[in-house]
């Protein structure tokens, strides 16, 4: 819902919306744009089981770079 609110505020874009939606459909717990908006960055929260699917989905959606870190 947070990303939807950011879209309503006008800080999202078609490209960011597509990346967020792809991440969610691939199994991310949540995803949203980060930063001031219009910059082209999202963050997605995933687990070990969905990490690979989300990375593949983001690549298919034309993500330019993908970084991930493990939080334990």
């Amino acid at each position: 819902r947070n990303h939807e609110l950011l879209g309503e505020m006008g800080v999202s874009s078609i490209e960011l919306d597509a990346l967020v939606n792809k991440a969610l459909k691939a199994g991310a717990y949540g995803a949203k744009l980060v930063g001031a908006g219009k910059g082209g960055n999202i963050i997605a929260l995933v687990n070990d089981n969905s990490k690979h699917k989300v990375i593949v989905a983001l690549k298919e959606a034309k993500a330019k770079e993908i970084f991930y870190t493990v939080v334990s």
Side-chain angles (χ1 to χ4, degrees), residues 39-61:
N41 297 300
I42 72 159
I43 187 168
L45 179 62
V46 302
N47 63 24
D48 281 338
N49 295 329
S50 62
K51 177 179 70 176
H52 180 72
K53 284 179 66 175
V54 171
I55 289 171
V56 169
L58 291 173
K59 287 179 181 178
E60 289 174 354

Side-chain angles (χ1 to χ4, degrees), residues 1-70:
R1 175 83 179 120
N2 185 275
H3 183 76
E4 291 174 26
L5 294 173
L6 293 169
E8 291 172 13
M9 292 172 53
V11 296
S12 190
S13 67
I14 293 170
E15 296 84 3
L16 290 173
D17 292 344
L19 292 171
V20 166
N21 289 330
K22 288 285 190 174
L24 292 171
K25 287 180 183 176
Y29 291 123
K32 65 179 280 296
L33 69 88
V34 294
K38 301 289 186 187
N41 297 300
I42 72 159
I43 187 168
L45 179 62
V46 302
N47 63 24
D48 281 338
N49 295 329
S50 62
K51 177 179 70 176
H52 180 72
K53 284 179 66 175
V54 171
I55 289 171
V56 169
L58 291 173
K59 287 179 181 178
E60 289 174 354
K62 307 295 186 223
K64 292 183 181 173
E65 293 186 65
I66 300 169
F67 303 95
Y68 72 89
T69 186
V70 176

